[in-house]
Amino acid sequence: MIRLARTNRTPWSEWWWTVDRWTLVAIAGLIIIGILLSLAASPAVAQRLGLPGFHFVYRHLVFLVPAILVLVGTSMLNVKQVRRLAAIVLAVSLVLMLGTLVLGAEVKGATRWLNIGPFSLQPSEFAKPAFAVLAAWLFSEGARGRIPGAAIAFGLYAALAVILALQPDFGQLSLLTLVFAGLFFLSGLSWFWIGVMGGVAAAGSYAAYSLVPHVTSRVDRFLNPESGDTYQIDRALDAFRHGGFFGVGPGEGEVKQILPDAHTDFIFAVAAEEYGVLAGLLIIGLFGFIVLRTLARVREESDLFVQLATTALVVLIGVQALINMAVNVNLMPAKGMTLPFISYGGSSLLAVALTLGMLLALTRRRAGARLAQPDMMGRAYA
């Protein structure tokens, strides 16, 4: 039996007494909900595709095992190891993302995936958390005057943005831009550069709307539902109305029988129909708890890099969840973005595990890490 006493100096014991166990509980809650909703939504989708009923359930569980190992293993790293891991993951992800442009399998008009045997890999999922950590390090080093961190970070962002636009994957590009803009703001850069960043984002959004047909179609259908097919959104809204406050009961939902993406993009609607508004509030509460708990802990942090990286990672998870749920209730145009740890998808599960693993590693209690010296704006390094 593994002993986890405070006096035991084994890696497991040290990890257990320094990691944020309340955040671990919230993550475990999301994992359990993901399994339950996979059982609820996936069989109907599999049967429509002519696959065994539990095909997606089994695959979800298969991917969940390495995802948990990645989560726990990454959370045991120290700050320097997290930074090195992010650099390696970003370098590999950039190469693989370039590979998707040449060798990627086309799905719904986009080449975001690489087929590796029986599995498909979406490299951009792993690039997001790796970029968030590495950009945070560049901004923190730039604040100390050691390197032109902001310029290098912007160059990395531009490289990722170009590849994502070529795939095209404007959902991931929007999320990456929001995280990068947050880092710009938190690192204390002038309003002039923040304005430039906003202008570039606005110009990119307009260009995407004007030049990419499926982006134009999604935005037009969001602004004017009569301009095109809104079948999935309409059925998702019907699911929320049908489920009411307490839901129609496990297995009794209808939306999963007709929605093509019931197990991925619209799994939140399945949860609301079968388990009611209470289930939706529970999911929102768990994501909200992780975000607020992390931000509360990082306020006490003395290392600017840890402040920036942790904030970027939790914003990445929180905004991704927010976008998915907002699309389900028609508050945003469709983005094709998964609900972390709940939607089906191997790349998504592993990437979310990596993101939260790095977040847990950076928020572990470390000697001398409290008693904040520089603030979030980096003034102590000016």
Side-chain angles (χ1 to χ4, degrees):
M1 179 179 290
I2 300 176
R3 297 182 62 191
L4 297 178
R6 287 183 181 270
T7 54
N8 190 346
R9 305 307 298 174
T10 64
W12 277 109
S13 179
E14 189 170 335
W15 172 80
W16 177 251
W17 291 110
T18 56
V19 75
D20 183 7
R21 295 191 292 279
W22 282 110
T23 300
L24 271 179
V25 169
I27 292 170
L30 290 175
I31 291 173
I32 292 169
I33 291 172
I35 295 171
L36 292 175
L37 292 180
S38 179
L39 287 165
S42 296
V45 178
Q47 289 168 7
R48 286 201 306 272
L49 297 174
L51 299 169
F54 288 95
H55 172 80
F56 292 114
V57 177
Y58 292 145
R59 288 176 68 90
H60 184 87
L61 294 174
V62 165
F63 282 115
L64 192 57
V65 173
I68 292 173
L69 294 176
V70 168
L71 172 72
V72 175
T74 306
S75 70
M76 298 180 74
L77 301 178
N78 60 39
V79 172
K80 184 179 293 186
Q81 290 168 335
V82 169
R83 189 169 66 239
R84 290 174 178 172
L85 176 64
I88 294 170
V89 171
L90 183 60
V92 173
S93 297
L94 277 169
V95 172
L96 293 178
M97 287 171 68
L98 288 171
T100 63
L101 302 178
V102 181
L103 306 172
E106 185 172 330
V107 179
K108 298 181 181 180
T111 53
R112 308 168 187 171
W113 302 85
L114 286 175
N115 290 329
I116 303 173
F119 302 106
S120 296
L121 179 71
Q122 188 177 2
S124 60
E125 291 279 5
F126 300 92
K128 292 183 300 182
F131 170 76
V133 172
L134 200 58
W137 176 74
L138 289 168
F139 278 122
S140 66
E141 291 299 296
R144 295 182 174 96
R146 296 176 180 176
I147 58 174
I152 299 172
F154 191 85
L156 285 175
Y157 165 77
L160 284 168
V162 168
I163 299 173
L164 287 171
L166 291 174
Q167 287 184 336
D169 190 347
F170 291 101
Q172 300 284 21
L173 177 55
S174 300
L175 184 55
L176 191 75
T177 301
L178 286 170
V179 172
F180 189 54
L183 281 172
F184 247 91
F185 178 77
L186 291 172
S187 63
L189 294 183
S190 69
W191 282 103
F192 170 78
W193 287 111
I194 293 173
V196 170
M197 184 73 185
V200 170
S205 299
Y206 179 76
Y209 174 76
S210 302
L211 302 175
V212 184
H214 82 269
V215 174
T216 306
S217 174
R218 287 181 175 182
V219 174
D220 287 345
R221 281 178 287 162
F222 174 74
L223 296 175
N224 179 19
E226 296 180 359
S227 66
D229 178 23
T230 58
Y231 177 78
Q232 294 215 90
I233 291 295
D234 291 340
R235 300 293 76 76
L237 293 175
D238 288 342
F240 283 93
R241 285 189 287 266
H242 189 208
F245 202 73
F246 296 104
V248 297
E252 300 299 320
E254 298 176 1
V255 71
K256 63 190 180 186
Q257 304 292 341
I258 53 178
L259 270 184
D261 297 326
H263 62 319
T264 54
D265 299 355
F266 289 92
I267 199 165
F268 189 61
V270 175
E273 183 180 30
E274 298 202 358
Y275 298 97
V277 171
L278 288 177
L281 292 175
L282 175 60
I283 293 171
I284 293 171
L286 287 172
F287 282 113
F289 176 82
I290 291 172
V291 172
L292 295 176
R293 172 82 176 176
T294 301
L295 293 178
R297 285 174 69 91
V298 81
R299 286 182 61 187
E300 306 171 10
E301 179 59 55
S302 64
D303 188 321
L304 181 60
F305 161 65
V306 174
Q307 289 179 332
L308 293 175
T310 304
T311 303
L313 289 170
V314 80
V315 167
L316 178 62
I317 286 293
V319 172
Q320 180 171 334
L322 181 64
I323 289 173
N324 177 277
M325 292 184 285
V327 168
N328 274 243
V329 294
N330 201 29
L331 292 178
M332 291 185 68
K335 294 287 186 184
M337 199 166 291
T338 58
L339 189 57
F341 269 138
I342 295 177
S343 295
Y344 169 79
S347 293
S348 175
L349 269 177
L350 292 170
V352 169
L354 177 67
T355 304
L356 290 173
M358 291 194 291
L359 185 149
L360 288 169
L362 293 172
T363 55
R364 284 172 57 190
R365 300 290 182 186
R366 301 182 306 278
R370 306 297 154 181
L371 299 175
Q373 298 162 6
D375 60 16
M376 287 288 287
M377 304 302 290
R379 296 188 185 95
Y381 293 119

